[in-house]
Amino acid sequence: AMGVLKQAEREALSGLAIQPNWAPLHGLLGRVALVQQDYAAAKTHLTRALALEPGESLYHYLHAAATWDLGNAPQIGRAHV
């Protein structure tokens, strides 16, 4: 499974080199980082995805999960209303 995650990460980074403002790639990197338990990186990528597509509910959900895992649970309600 880790090989698939690393491949997804490599391909997403390659895609961002071509199209840096494509929210799905930032979302993918956020999901990969969550699985790898790199919550700070996940939050960074998902914050970027939300800036590009603020109406995407999946990014809000994943961003909330990363925020929770960083121990910032009180911030979740204020950030996602």
Side-chain angles (χ1 to χ4, degrees), residues 29-47:
L29 288 170
R31 287 185 302 219
V32 167
L34 274 174
V35 171
Q36 295 173 333
Q37 298 180 343
D38 185 352
Y39 305 123
K43 188 171 178 180
T44 298
H45 288 295
L46 293 163
T47 297

